[in-house]
Amino acid sequence: KYSPLLADFYLYPFQEQVLKEVEKGEFIVINTARQMGISTILTGRALWKMLFNDNYSVAFINPNLVQGIKHIDMVKDFYNQLPRMFQIGCEKPTNKRSLVLTNGSSISTFSPKTGSCSRAFDEIVFDQASYIKDLELIVGAAQPLIYSGKNKGKMIVTSCLYKEDWFTQMCRKAEKGDFDFTYIKLPYWVHPKRGRAWRSQQDVDGRPDYAKLECDCSYVFTKEGVLVPLNDE
């Protein structure tokens, strides 16, 4: 169950910077260490966009539908905890996968298997993207769905490193300086409460190679299963 103070946002400096970069970019790739709060702040940002823009549509796509529904539940909790002056009203929910406000703005979640039913969106967020099967195909199919009318369409792809896939390829391009999208890298040390002692403990608690992936954001598996730095061939 979420905390009663869930809607109180006290951001770390790196989280504030992420929101600024996301707002400026149209195609954003976020290579983040685990448990950095990025999913939460993107969820809160989605509600903000919905409240202050009429007919603004957001889609969250996760590795599975259960995780996506958790995002919708979080948005609903955020909304219910807002001061009444900001609660513009919402339609009676008909399912767990969406929330629609009376100004026409909405947020929905879809399983990667079912897609988004060819509906247009102002913004699509792929969360835990590297865990989504056939990510490149799904991202490619979603790009035409980004709304291109009065608002600029936005696609956000965020994940920690997990395997050699499309997401890793995008990170490699960015590390080499060969990219035309907004790239945000968030290794563990940008978090003010995570230092060397915390990082050393991650090696003790789990596998050191996966700790490099999930904490340092700088190493990935090659197809041969060898760990190499992102900026190495």
Side-chain angles (χ1 to χ4, degrees), residues 173-189:
K173 288 183 178 180
E175 294 284 338
K176 295 175 182 178
D178 178 24
F179 66 106
D180 57 358
F181 52 87
T182 299
Y183 179 64
I184 302 172
K185 184 175 181 180
L186 301 172
Y188 78 91
W189 59 80

Side-chain angles (χ1 to χ4, degrees), residues 121-178:
F121 293 95
D122 294 282
E123 189 170 308
I124 299 178
V125 180
F126 287 89
D127 189 48
Q128 300 183 35
S130 200
Y131 294 84
I132 297 175
K133 186 178 179 180
D134 299 324
L135 176 63
E136 182 176 6
L137 295 176
I138 296 171
V139 169
Q143 285 181 323
L145 304 178
I146 299 177
Y147 184 67
S148 58
K150 64 177 181 179
N151 299 310
K152 291 183 178 180
K154 188 182 297 290
M155 181 176 287
I156 305 169
V157 185
T158 178
S159 183
C160 64
L161 295 169
Y162 169 62
K163 60 184 178 181
E164 190 75 36
D165 63 356
W166 177 88
F167 180 79
T168 302
Q169 293 171 9
M170 294 298 102
C171 294
R172 286 186 182 279
K173 288 183 178 180
E175 294 284 338
K176 295 175 182 178
D178 178 24

Side-chain angles (χ1 to χ4, degrees), residues 188-208:
Y188 78 91
W189 59 80
V190 304
H191 195 298
K193 292 188 177 181
R194 294 182 180 176
R196 292 184 178 180
W198 180 90
R199 176 61 181 85
S200 297
Q201 189 62 41
Q202 306 312 301
D203 286 338
V204 175
D205 294 341
R207 288 177 51 180

Side-chain angles (χ1 to χ4, degrees), residues 33-54:
R34 58 185 172 86
Q35 298 179 351
M36 299 289 276
I38 301 305
S39 297
T40 301
I41 65 172
L42 290 178
T43 303
R45 178 187 174 278
L47 177 59
W48 170 64
K49 298 293 288 189
M50 292 164 59
L51 288 169
F52 294 98
N53 295 276
D54 293 341

